[in-house]
Amino acid sequence: MAADANSIILHQYDVSPFSEKVRVVLGLKKLEWYACDEPVIMPKPELVALTGGYRKIPVMQIGADIYCATQIIIRELERRFPSPSIFVGGDKGLGWGTAMWTDRVFFQAAVAIIFGGGTALADEAFIKDREKLTGRPFDIAAMKQAAPLMAEQFRAQLGWIDDQLADGRAFLMGERAGLADASVFYNLAFIRWTSPAGAKLIAAWPRVAEWEARVAAIGHGTRHEIAREAALDIARAATSTEEPRADTGEPNGLKPGDRVSVMADDYGRDPIMGELVSSSAQHIAIRRADPRVGEVVVHFPRAGFLVMKA
């Protein structure tokens, strides 16, 4: 079955932890999608043609609409495919706060354990790439020194998860899996893939390991493969479905037609330039053009991103 402008295309790679979060959501919603495998390190010319400079993984493409960062990807999947919902326990607002915790505090503890403990991922090319991405040294020796302390932090957070499961519930918010489960699960998956020492930390919490197995059993929906060039051809032939929309509550007076730059506030702070199409408290969409893909609209979340007039 060939992909088209209505297909979900996830630009990802299999050992990407943030891609795993999205893959679990695709599984929860039982969706059909296309994996477009991108390189782990730069250069990523096809991805950059779509995004205008955003290089982090994953990125979701639907036609000529490009969604950068898991927050906006999952929000859009929920909007387009509302049933079954990812909000399963009164967590429609706080679910996103849980995701911010797992993306930052929990993830950073996992990173220190994985790279401080030694992993085949951390070759010289990977280290140099991540130093460019973060703008600071990717100091394996410092991570090795910090790993025992971060193991304590990771263990404490596993304890929170265990407490949530202590009443016998199957998933974090009740009897159905949702956003909270996908958000927490991917850090444990990343540990499992890369760190035997980290896996032992998880195994010490039987309720957590049993919950982890239940989430893993959900699967990833129906996956197909698509080549990068084919994905770009789809973007070039498509037209964005995003309509211009002003936000009367926009705190800095931004409005459709303004030239703006958008960048992440943590790392990978490459500014992406474009013309504002729509915005809200939770999203911003900008139009840009590239010789390879033509005109596309690139979508970002607001929490965790900075927007400035160009």
Side-chain angles (χ1 to χ4, degrees), residues 267-280:
Y267 60 92
R269 295 167 64 98
D270 304 288
I272 294 86
M273 312 289 291
E275 177 187 302
L276 194 151
V277 178
S278 67
S279 65
S280 70

Side-chain angles (χ1 to χ4, degrees), residues 10-263:
L10 189 68
H11 296 263
Q12 59 114 61
Y13 51 86
D14 285 347
V15 294
S16 158
F18 292 100
S19 296
E20 180 67 5
K21 176 168 49 163
V22 176
R23 292 189 296 251
V24 171
V25 171
L26 292 164
L28 287 170
K29 292 183 173 292
K30 298 180 171 60
L31 293 173
E32 190 166 3
W33 60 285
Y34 291 78
C36 185
D37 283 343
E38 297 284 351
V40 175
I41 64 175
M42 292 293 271
K44 303 178 184 182
E46 295 87 3
L47 185 71
V48 169
L50 287 170
T51 66
Y54 184 86
R55 53 154 293 183
K56 293 195 278 186
I57 292 294
V59 167
M60 182 175 75
Q61 173 191 348
I62 301 180
D65 285 288
I66 314 301
Y67 300 87
C68 298
T70 57
Q71 185 187 150
I72 200 72
I73 291 171
I74 294 171
R75 186 177 293 278
E76 184 63 15
L77 289 172
E78 179 74 2
R79 186 187 75 82
R80 290 181 184 241
F81 309 99
S83 181
S85 177
I86 56 172
F87 304 114
V88 295
D91 57 335
K92 192 170 184 179
L94 287 179
W96 299 114
T98 299
M100 192 67 80
W101 154 54
T102 61
D103 284 359
R104 299 197 176 201
V105 179
F106 200 29
F107 176 68
Q108 289 302 325
V111 165
I113 292 167
I114 290 165
F115 290 97
T119 172
L121 282 176
D123 61 18
E124 184 179 356
F126 181 90
I127 290 170
K128 288 181 177 178
D129 179 80
R130 290 313 190 256
E131 287 181 339
K132 290 178 182 176
L133 177 66
T134 62
R136 58 181 181 270
F138 196 83
D139 192 335
I140 298 294
M143 289 184 195
K144 185 175 183 178
Q145 191 171 22
L149 302 177
M150 296 311 288
E152 295 175 3
Q153 298 298 311
F154 194 80
R155 179 172 177 265
Q157 292 169 80
L158 289 173
W160 295 346
I161 301 163
D162 186 73
D163 286 345
Q164 186 70 8
L165 296 166
D167 61 1
R169 64 184 63 199
F171 297 101
L172 293 177
M173 298 304 297
E175 293 310 305
R176 291 198 298 120
L179 176 60
D181 300 277
S183 298
V184 172
F185 172 81
Y186 81 85
N187 279 304
L188 276 62
F190 194 29
I191 286 277
R192 294 277 191 198
W193 298 336
T194 55
S195 173
K200 287 181 181 178
L201 289 174
I202 301 168
W205 301 86
R207 269 195 301 256
V208 175
E210 290 165 7
W211 159 84
E212 181 191 13
R214 287 192 289 273
V215 178
I218 292 165
H220 294 156
T222 302
R223 172 174 170 163
H224 306 285
E225 308 295 325
I226 186 172
R228 295 194 289 271
E229 287 295 332
L232 298 192
D233 289 340
I234 288 172
R236 187 173 184 84
T239 301
S240 169
T241 61
E242 187 71 15
E243 297 289 339
R245 186 168 68 254
D247 175 13
T248 56
E250 183 65 53
N252 295 310
L254 299 173
K255 59 187 183 301
D258 285 349
R259 291 283 300 172
V260 298
S261 68
V262 183
M263 67 179 180

